[in-house]
PDB file of all heavy atoms in Angstrom:
ATOM      1  N   SER A  29      15.786  33.244  34.821  1.00 92.00           N
ATOM      2  CA  SER A  29      15.175  34.448  35.407  1.00 92.00           C
ATOM      3  C   SER A  29      16.228  35.500  35.768  1.00 92.00           C
ATOM      4  O   SER A  29      15.903  36.667  35.934  1.00 92.00           O
ATOM      5  CB  SER A  29      14.349  34.055  36.634  1.00 92.00           C
ATOM      6  OG  SER A  29      15.228  33.574  37.627  1.00 92.00           O
ATOM      7  N   ALA A  39      15.797  33.167  22.914  1.00 93.00           N
ATOM      8  CA  ALA A  39      15.023  33.992  21.982  1.00 93.00           C
ATOM      9  C   ALA A  39      15.495  33.733  20.558  1.00 93.00           C
ATOM     10  O   ALA A  39      14.692  33.693  19.622  1.00 93.00           O
ATOM     11  CB  ALA A  39      15.182  35.463  22.343  1.00 93.00           C
ATOM     12  N   SER A  59       0.571  16.473  -5.613  1.00 88.00           N
ATOM     13  CA  SER A  59       1.629  15.457  -5.673  1.00 88.00           C
ATOM     14  C   SER A  59       1.148  14.154  -5.055  1.00 88.00           C
ATOM     15  O   SER A  59       1.459  13.063  -5.535  1.00 88.00           O
ATOM     16  CB  SER A  59       2.862  15.997  -4.948  1.00 88.00           C
ATOM     17  OG  SER A  59       3.414  15.041  -4.096  1.00 88.00           O
ATOM     18  N   ARG A 113     -21.390 -49.539 -25.814  1.00 56.00           N
ATOM     19  CA  ARG A 113     -22.311 -50.631 -26.095  1.00 56.00           C
ATOM     20  C   ARG A 113     -23.718 -50.189 -25.729  1.00 56.00           C
ATOM     21  O   ARG A 113     -23.935 -49.439 -24.800  1.00 56.00           O
ATOM     22  CB  ARG A 113     -21.941 -51.863 -25.258  1.00 56.00           C
ATOM     23  CG  ARG A 113     -20.739 -52.595 -25.796  1.00 56.00           C
ATOM     24  CD  ARG A 113     -20.758 -54.007 -25.313  1.00 56.00           C
ATOM     25  NE  ARG A 113     -21.631 -54.201 -24.165  1.00 56.00           N
ATOM     26  CZ  ARG A 113     -21.219 -54.336 -22.917  1.00 56.00           C
ATOM     27  NH1 ARG A 113     -19.951 -54.299 -22.673  1.00 56.00           N
ATOM     28  NH2 ARG A 113     -22.047 -54.520 -21.925  1.00 56.00           N
ATOM     29  N   GLU A 135     -46.956 -58.974 -20.436  1.00 77.00           N
ATOM     30  CA  GLU A 135     -46.104 -60.071 -19.970  1.00 77.00           C
ATOM     31  C   GLU A 135     -44.804 -60.129 -20.790  1.00 77.00           C
ATOM     32  O   GLU A 135     -43.734 -60.405 -20.259  1.00 77.00           O
ATOM     33  CB  GLU A 135     -46.837 -61.419 -20.070  1.00 77.00           C
ATOM     34  CG  GLU A 135     -47.759 -61.732 -18.918  1.00 77.00           C
ATOM     35  CD  GLU A 135     -48.997 -60.836 -18.926  1.00 77.00           C
ATOM     36  OE1 GLU A 135     -49.418 -60.408 -20.024  1.00 77.00           O
ATOM     37  OE2 GLU A 135     -49.509 -60.532 -17.839  1.00 77.00           O
ATOM     38  N   ALA A 143     -35.132 -60.923 -18.979  1.00 76.00           N
ATOM     39  CA  ALA A 143     -34.074 -61.523 -19.783  1.00 76.00           C
ATOM     40  C   ALA A 143     -32.848 -60.612 -19.796  1.00 76.00           C
ATOM     41  O   ALA A 143     -31.710 -61.073 -19.768  1.00 76.00           O
ATOM     42  CB  ALA A 143     -34.586 -61.777 -21.191  1.00 76.00           C
TER      43      ALA A 143
END
Side-chain angles (χ1 to χ4, degrees):
Chain A
S29 66
S59 135
R113 284 202 342 256
E135 277 70 29

